[in-house]
Structures are given as structure tokens and as C-alpha cells.
């Protein structure tokens, strides 16, 4: 007899395997997409030789991620003699794990129990691995751990350039993580929830925080908050660039000044782990932005708001994935459009501009909540 506990354990294991497999697949092909996007912007071809032989049409470049993986795994895993061995090996793992953990609390489809064909029991919370009541706070706590891998890599390498890259990363994280958290507070105030699925459900009813006119019901009180929410989304997006070390905030690995920054002394698969962590963090950050500001798995006007069948559930997951891919493309677009900032400009933007504006924005939202909060 199939018990609810057995269904919960099996479904959770399947969700973990599927989400991790999808994330790793997205990471692999995000690298290829970045190379293709940069090639298109620079009027060149990009990777076009390695195809997939089992396809009828050998689409050039689609097999490049597999070739890169084999190249990194088969390269000699050379370790310089002057490094601190244990921490040197630990750093790439610490930079990759937080991105894997964050996807556990990001909902990719509806969380209402649904019954899959052939099962006599409902699947609990099908659209998220761990539906935590304080999922947003847990997610911020986990993402802040990624910088430890970079700092540890710089320190354990016993190299000036790597050490400077690690120090830059820690300073950048401290500078922008405060503004990142402050920019999300208006969302928690308005929705009255820290649970990510509940934040998405609020947007389905009242409108997306970035597009308030696409909800099931139109409330002019909610429209009063839109300028503050738009400002929050812009601050949140900019700080995500800094948190994920994406250009124009990629100062920790500035090749003009630091050769390669924190990963200068790394090669082979250890070097590849840092890139896997970077792109995994990029995808999870895009998923977080989609969840907080773009209605998560839903379409405008409440479409796909709830999953009543397996087909609807799959559509929700595809919609969420499409939104994430569009945002990942936006990150790539910015990288190959804007030049890298100077380090003093990065610090000025974080401490003197984004932080005061995000704090003032909280005050504005709090005043509006005191005046019109009953309608929300």
C-alpha cells in the first residue's frame, strides 16, 4: 500500500533529481549561449564545429558543452606547490554548492497538491522541493555563502592576484548584499509573506510587482505602490549583477589588472567548478527575480495560476523556464554591451546611491501601507 509519507519521499527525491539535472543542463548550455550571443554581438560565428551525432541534422555547436566537460575532466589536475591544499580543493566546491541549494526553495510551478495519472494519492507541493515559510530569508542566507568559496580560493592560492580578487569579491558582496535585501523588503511588506509560493500567489491575484495591470483583479490602491516596486526591481536587478560577479561588476576576476583574479592558480575541473558555480548562480538569481517580480510560473491575468492536472503543471514549469531564459539572455546582453566599472565606481554606486535609495524606498512603502494598507 502506497502511504502519503512514501509518496512525499519519492516525489521529493524525483524533484531533486529533475531540478538538479535541468539546472546542470541549463548551466552547460548557458555557457554555449553566452559564446553564441557574444559572437553575434561581435559579428563572428562562435562555436560551430562540435555537433550531436545522434541528431539527423548535425547542428554545429550543440555538442560543445560535452566537449568542454571532457576537456576539463581529462586535463591534468595540476596543483601548485605553494597553495594551502585542503582549502584550495574546498573552494571550488563551496562556490558551486550554494547555487544548487537555492533552487530547492524557488517554486517553479504551483504548489497545490495534484494527482498524477496512475496514482491514487495526491502529490504534495509538486512545484517546489522545499516549501519553507521563510523561503526568501533562507534563500538570501544561502546565496551569501557563495562568496566564501571565492575568498577561500584567493587566500589559499598564496598569490597576490588571486588574493586581491578574493578581497574584492568580499568587499563587493558586503556592499551590495545590504541593498539587495533592502530592495526586497517592499515586496514582503505588500504581500505580507516571506514564503515564495505565497508571494507568487499574491501576484497572480493582484498583478505582478513589475507589471501590476496583469492580475486577476485591478485595484487602484495596488497601483500606488508601482513606482516603488519598479524602483525595487531596478535596484534588485543591479545588485544581482554584483552578487553573481557578472559584468560590469566582474572586478574579482578582472584580467586586465589581476590576470584572472581569484581563480588564477586553478586549472582543469577545479577551474571548471568556478564557472559552473557562476552560471548556476546566474540561473538561480534569474529564477529568484522571476519569482519576486514577474509572477513566477503564471501568465498575465491569472492564467496558469493553479495546476489542476499534469498538463497544466508542465505548462507552468515551461513558462517559468522561459522567463528564466529570457532574463539570462538579458544578463548576457548587458555583459557584452557595457564596459567594466572601475572599483571606486562600484563602491560609490553600492554605498552612496543604491543603499540610501533602497532605504528611502522602504520608508515610502511603509507610509503608503499605513495609509492604504487595508486595501492591500
Amino acid at each position: 500500500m502506497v502511504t502519503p509519507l512514501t509518496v512525499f519521499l519519492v516525489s521529493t527525491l524525483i524533484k531533486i533529481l529533475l531540478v538538479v539535472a535541468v539546472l546542470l543542463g541549463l548551466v552547460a548550455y548557458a555557457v554555449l549561449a553566452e559564446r553564441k550571443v557574444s559572437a553575434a554581438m561581435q559579428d563572428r560565428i562562435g562555436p560551430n564545429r562540435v555537433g550531436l551525432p545522434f541528431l539527423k541534422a548535425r547542428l554545429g555547436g550543440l555538442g560543445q558543452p560535452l566537449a568542454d566537460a571532457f576537456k576539463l575532466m581529462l586535463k591534468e589536475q595540476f596543483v601548485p606547490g605553494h597553495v594551502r591544499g585542503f582549502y584550495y580543493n574546498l573552494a571550488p566546491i563551496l562556490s558551486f554548492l550554494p547555487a544548487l541549494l537555492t533552487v530547492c526553495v524557488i517554486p517553479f510551478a504551483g504548489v497545490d497538491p495534484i494527482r498524477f495519472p496512475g496514482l491514487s494519492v495526491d502529490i504534495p507541493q509538486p512545484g517546489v522541493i522545499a516549501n519553507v515559510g521563510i523561503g526568501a530569508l533562507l534563500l538570501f542566507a544561502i546565496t551569501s555563502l557563495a562568496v566564501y568559496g571565492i575568498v577561500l580560493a584567493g587566500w589559499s592560492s598564496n598569490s597576490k592576484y588571486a588574493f586581491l580578487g578574493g578581497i574584492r569579491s568580499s568587499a563587493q558582496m558586503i556592499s551590495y548584499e545590504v541593498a539587495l535585501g533592502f530592495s526586497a523588503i517592499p515586496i514582503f511588506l505588500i504581500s505580507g509573506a516571506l514564503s515564495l509560493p505565497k508571494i507568487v500567489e499574491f501576484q497572480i491575484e493582484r498583478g505582478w510587482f513589475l507589471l501590476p495591470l496583469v492580475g486577476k483583479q485591478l485595484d487602484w490602491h495596488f497601483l500606488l505602490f508601482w513606482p516603488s516596486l519598479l524602483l525595487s526591481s531596478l535596484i534588485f536587478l543591479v545588485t544581482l549583477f554584483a552578487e553573481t560577479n557578472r559584468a560590469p561588476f566582474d572586478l574579482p576576476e578582472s584580467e586586465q589588472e589581476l590576470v584572472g583574479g581569484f581563480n588564477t592558480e586553478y586549472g582543469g575541473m577545479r577551474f571548471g567548478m568556478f564557472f559552473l558555480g557562476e552560471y548556476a548562480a546566474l540561473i538561480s538569481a534569474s529564477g529568484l527575480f522571476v519569482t519576486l517580480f514577474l509572477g513566477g510560473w503564471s501568465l498575465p491575468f491569472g492564467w496558469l495560476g493553479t495546476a489542476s492536472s499534469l498538463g497544466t503543471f508542465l505548462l507552468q514549469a515551461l513558462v517559468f523556464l522561459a522567463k528564466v531564459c529570457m532574463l539570462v539572455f538579458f544578463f548576457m546582453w548587458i555583459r557584452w554591451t557595457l564596459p567594466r566599472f572601475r572599483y571606486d565606481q562600484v563602491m560609490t554606486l553600492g554605498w552612496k546611491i543604491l543603499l540610501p535609495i533602497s532605504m528611502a524606498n522602504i520608508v515610502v512603502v511603509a507610509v503608503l501601507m499605513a495609509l492604504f494598507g487595508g486595501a492591500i
Side-chain angles (χ1 to χ4, degrees):
M1 179 180 177
V2 180
T3 63
L5 179 60
T6 305
V7 171
F8 173 77
L9 294 176
V10 173
S11 63
T12 301
L13 179 61
I14 292 174
K15 283 188 286 185
I16 291 174
L17 294 175
L18 287 177
V19 170
V20 170
V22 170
L23 178 65
L24 293 179
L26 286 175
V27 166
Y29 280 92
V31 178
L32 175 63
E34 177 118 56
R35 296 169 73 178
K36 287 287 191 180
V37 167
S38 64
M41 290 184 176
Q42 297 169 355
D43 196 21
R44 54 187 176 83
I45 296 174
N48 68 336
R49 295 296 185 214
V50 186
L52 294 177
F54 51 82
L55 292 179
K56 290 183 179 179
R58 287 174 56 92
L59 300 177
L62 285 183
Q64 191 64 46
L66 294 175
D68 291 339
F70 279 113
K71 178 189 72 174
L72 291 171
M73 287 187 291
L74 295 176
K75 286 184 71 172
E76 180 184 2
Q77 303 297 313
F78 178 77
V79 179
H82 55 77
V83 302
R84 297 176 173 91
F86 174 76
Y87 302 103
Y88 176 87
N89 294 317
L90 181 63
I93 300 173
L94 289 181
S95 67
F96 181 63
L97 278 182
L100 285 179
L101 293 175
T102 54
V103 298
C104 295
V105 295
I106 296 179
F108 55 89
V111 296
D112 294 330
I114 61 173
R115 183 163 296 183
F116 283 73
L119 291 179
S120 57
V121 225
D122 291 338
I123 303 296
Q125 303 174 5
V128 64
I129 295 176
N131 188 6
V132 185
I134 54 169
L137 294 183
L138 179 63
L139 197 144
F140 287 144
I142 294 173
T143 53
S144 66
L145 298 177
V147 71
Y148 287 100
I150 296 177
V151 173
L152 201 60
W155 172 78
S156 64
S157 294
N158 271 336
S159 165
K160 298 181 193 175
Y161 297 119
F163 183 70
L164 286 174
I167 293 297
R168 281 186 173 189
S169 182
S170 60
Q172 185 169 298
M173 183 273 294
I174 294 170
S175 302
Y176 282 85
E177 200 163 61
V178 181
L180 176 72
F182 281 172
S183 65
I185 289 179
I187 294 175
F188 307 146
L189 289 174
I190 295 172
S191 64
L194 289 172
S195 169
L196 295 177
K198 289 183 178 179
I199 291 174
V200 174
E201 290 167 4
F202 180 91
Q203 294 179 80
I204 293 171
E205 292 295 327
R206 300 300 182 94
W208 300 354
F209 286 129
L210 197 55
L211 299 171
L213 297 177
V214 299
K216 283 185 179 179
Q217 56 187 18
L218 179 61
D219 189 341
W220 69 271
H221 292 94
F222 183 59
L223 295 179
L224 293 175
F225 294 89
W226 184 73
S228 295
L229 291 171
L230 177 61
L231 183 59
S232 286
S233 68
L234 292 176
I235 296 174
F236 196 86
L237 189 61
V238 172
T239 53
L240 282 183
F241 275 93
E243 286 290 302
T244 54
N245 289 328
R246 295 288 299 181
F249 295 93
D250 57 341
L251 275 301
E253 48 184 309
S254 175
E255 65 272 9
Q256 292 94 333
E257 308 155 25
L258 304 181
V259 183
F262 63 91
N263 56 27
T264 302
E265 302 294 334
Y266 283 86
M269 200 56 202
R270 293 184 184 88
F271 178 78
M273 288 284 285
F274 283 114
F275 277 90
L276 289 177
E278 176 184 335
Y279 282 94
L282 172 63
I283 292 167
S284 61
S286 300
L288 177 59
F289 187 88
V290 167
T291 302
L292 293 181
F293 293 98
L294 293 177
W297 62 81
S298 67
L299 288 174
F301 309 109
W303 295 342
L304 294 181
T306 56
S308 56
S309 64
L310 177 60
T312 312
F313 171 78
L314 294 176
L315 282 177
Q316 288 177 337
L318 288 175
V319 167
F320 182 82
L321 184 60
K323 291 180 182 179
V324 169
C325 289
M326 287 190 290
L327 198 58
V328 168
F329 170 75
F330 177 75
F331 274 91
M332 295 175 180
W333 183 15
I334 294 298
R335 173 178 180 179
W336 298 101
T337 303
L338 299 180
R340 181 182 291 124
F341 292 152
R342 293 197 319 265
Y343 200 72
D344 62 309
Q345 293 173 331
V346 171
M347 293 294 105
T348 299
L349 178 63
W351 288 109
K352 295 184 178 180
I353 299 177
L354 296 183
L355 182 58
I357 292 177
S358 61
M359 295 175 68
N361 195 35
I362 294 174
V363 175
V364 171
V365 172
V367 171
L368 289 176
M369 287 292 294
L371 296 175
F372 306 103
I376 298 295

